[in-house]
Amino acid sequence: MGFCLTVVLAAISVLPRDFDYIVKYAPPQDAPLPAEYVTNNCLLAAAARKSAIEEYPDEIFLEYVLPYSVIREGRDDWRGEFRERFAPLVEGMDDMYSAAVKLDRTIWDMIDVHYDTRRDQARQSPRHSMRIHMASCTGISIILIDACRAVGIPARLVGCKWTTIPGNHSWVEVWSRGGWHVLASGEKEREDDIWFLDYACQADASRADRRIYASRWSTSPGGTFFWCTWDFPSRVSDVPADDVTADYLPGGRASRKQQPAH
């Protein structure tokens, strides 16, 4: 992958900060991280932010655009390919939420990946899912998050175990116009009528295994971790997370009545 000189020079001033941030909070199982891989990731992330539809704070970039992975999926070098394939799709869009919706309406047929319970793993990497042409809700969400990050849109994984019905679900939130907005990844639903919000609003904040969590890269200020539903159904994971349960309860910013109209 090549970079034009102006993009490289623009990234040099922030590269040490970004490089250090990635290495500092990388999960132990990723050590040692290849310097070339981290450098390439940081340069592409900086270029994506430079051309992003909206501006956003450094802390949002560091947590939700810069990281090379979402949870503990296999590590892929996806940024260059995703940027090249998906950036043209969002050119001329007015805001990042609308751009993320456009990605979600378009990329699945482009890469020939669709939801299927016969997938190999719940938390597949993008290339794994693209190789077998299927993914779980978590795998679908990982691809959409990476697609968003590749074009400079901050995105994160949100999920929970349901309180009132069996099972669990994962979905995506994207940062746009100063806040987080829900996206039903890979489901082609209207953004104002997302099916799982009726179940999410019944989350039980009094139980750690029934709260709603949003993934992050660095250590959570509250020491919170994503309640793992991928490999250990009854155990907390080592993925840092924010507890966003209150946002999904009735009247919260992510409840059905609070969804943005686009």
Side-chain angles (χ1 to χ4, degrees):
M1 293 164 223
F3 307 96
C4 76
L5 181 60
T6 55
V7 170
V8 173
L9 291 176
I12 286 175
S13 61
V14 298
L15 183 58
R17 177 203 66 182
D18 299 352
F19 190 102
D20 290 345
Y21 199 82
I22 286 293
V23 173
K24 179 178 180 180
Y25 295 110
Q29 58 263 43
D30 282 0
L33 282 169
E36 182 179 0
Y37 175 80
V38 179
T39 300
N40 191 51
N41 175 81
C42 292
L43 287 171
L44 283 167
R49 184 186 188 185
K50 187 176 178 63
S51 61
I53 298 166
E54 302 175 34
E55 295 183 356
Y56 40 83
D58 283 348
E59 57 267 26
I60 294 296
F61 168 75
L62 292 170
E63 286 293 328
Y64 307 110
V65 177
L66 178 65
Y68 57 80
S69 69
V70 179
I71 45 173
R72 296 294 183 261
E73 71 275 17
R75 303 323 189 203
D76 289 340
D77 191 8
W78 47 267
R79 276 195 191 270
E81 176 187 348
F82 277 18
R83 178 174 170 80
E84 182 176 349
R85 297 183 70 176
F86 303 146
L89 300 177
V90 301
E91 289 181 358
M93 301 295 291
D94 293 331
D95 64 87
M96 293 191 295
Y97 184 79
S98 297
V101 171
K102 175 74 174 295
L103 291 174
D104 188 46
R105 294 293 184 271
T106 310
I107 67 172
W108 307 115
D109 289 335
M110 290 178 63
I111 63 176
D112 191 19
V113 175
H114 301 280
Y115 175 81
D116 197 313
T117 57
R118 296 172 297 173
R119 81 292 184 273
D120 293 338
Q121 306 167 10
R123 53 177 183 175
Q124 292 171 175
S125 71
R127 293 199 185 281
H128 187 140
S129 297
M130 291 164 69
R131 184 173 65 254
I132 66 172
H133 307 294
M134 63 183 78
S136 68
C137 58
T138 301
I140 290 286
S141 296
I142 288 170
I143 291 177
L144 182 58
I145 290 167
D146 288 345
C148 286
R149 291 177 177 181
V151 300
I153 300 172
R156 64 186 184 181
L157 181 79
V158 182
C160 66
K161 295 176 68 176
W162 297 129
T163 299
T164 57
I165 59 173
N168 60 276
H169 193 51
S170 299
W171 60 92
V172 174
E173 285 188 350
V174 296
W175 179 271
S176 182
R177 301 190 183 278
W180 291 106
H181 303 284
V182 181
L183 189 57
S185 47
E187 301 191 40
K188 298 184 178 179
E189 290 198 343
R190 298 200 324 267
E191 286 65 53
D192 61 350
D193 190 24
I194 297 173
W195 69 268
F196 57 77
L197 293 178
D198 288 335
Y199 296 104
C201 74
Q202 301 176 64
D204 186 350
S206 69
R207 293 183 54 181
D209 64 339
R210 293 296 186 270
R211 297 171 189 160
I212 300 174
Y213 297 95
S215 66
R216 54 184 293 129
W217 183 250
S218 68
T219 305
S220 168
T224 304
F225 293 92
F226 211 112
W227 194 271
C228 185
T229 58
W230 312 290
D231 297 323
F232 311 103
S234 62
R235 291 175 53 190
V236 67
S237 76
D238 62 346
V239 177
D242 293 316
D243 182 344
V244 295
T245 308
D247 293 336
Y248 285 84
L249 298 180
R253 59 96 185 154
S255 65
R256 181 179 294 280
K257 293 182 179 180
Q258 301 299 319
Q259 289 306 296
H262 282 79

